[in-house]
């Protein structure tokens, strides 16, 4: 019996970038570089999810395109913001405000989906 070929699709690049960021932050103790690499992984996932069809996006297609874009944007902003807060000793107020906006948009999208 032959098994069907499994394709990695488009998500492998953002996954590899995320893993590289984790390794850089954890092993080499360069938290800023590692955190920004992880944030870049979410930006790459966002760009791939926007630009590719659902078939070609593979594992990046989890929910509707709008919710996926919102999630990847929020993840990139949160990881980059948390990295900058930790490495530069910044106040987290701006990141909290951005998260409140993302939460309001997500709640609005969810309530529309439930109504229809």
């Amino acid at each position: 019996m032959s098994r069907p070929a499994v394709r990695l699709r488009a998500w492998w690049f953002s996954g590899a970038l995320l893993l590289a960021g984790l390794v850089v932050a954890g092993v080499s103790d360069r938290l800023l570089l590692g955190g920004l690499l992880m944030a870049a992984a979410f930006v790459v996932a966002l760009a791939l999810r926007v630009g590719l069809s659902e078939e070609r996006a593979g594992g990046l297609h989890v929910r509707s395109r709008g919710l996926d874009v919102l999630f990847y944007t929020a993840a990139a902003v949160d990881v980059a913001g948390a990295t900058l807060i930790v490495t530069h000793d910044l106040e987290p107020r701006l990141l909290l405000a951005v998260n409140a906006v993302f939460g309001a948009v997500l709640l609005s999208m969810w309530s529309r989906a439930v109504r229809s």
Side-chain angles (χ1 to χ4, degrees):
M1 254 186 213
S2 67
R3 298 174 74 188
V6 177
R7 295 183 184 169
L8 289 177
R9 306 269 184 225
W11 65 267
W12 71 268
F13 185 69
S14 60
L17 197 56
L18 184 65
L19 183 63
L22 287 169
V23 168
V24 167
V27 175
S28 70
D29 201 29
R30 297 192 63 189
L31 188 59
L32 179 62
L33 179 61
L36 294 180
L37 278 173
M38 289 186 273
F42 287 113
V43 171
V44 168
L46 168 70
L48 290 172
R49 181 63 179 107
V50 168
L52 296 176
S53 67
E54 292 177 0
E55 169 71 22
R56 295 198 59 199
L60 297 174
H61 168 66
V62 179
R63 295 161 290 279
S64 69
R65 187 178 302 252
L67 284 175
D68 283 343
V69 166
L70 181 67
F71 170 76
Y72 292 130
T73 304
V77 168
D78 284 346
V79 170
T83 300
L84 292 174
I85 287 169
V86 169
T87 58
H88 290 12
D89 199 27
L90 299 176
E91 286 290 321
R93 290 184 193 140
L94 179 61
L95 187 59
L96 291 172
V98 169
N99 278 324
V101 170
F102 281 130
V105 171
L106 185 60
L107 185 61
S108 171
M109 292 176 80
W110 177 76
S111 65
R112 277 191 227 156
V114 168
R115 282 188 224 140
S116 52

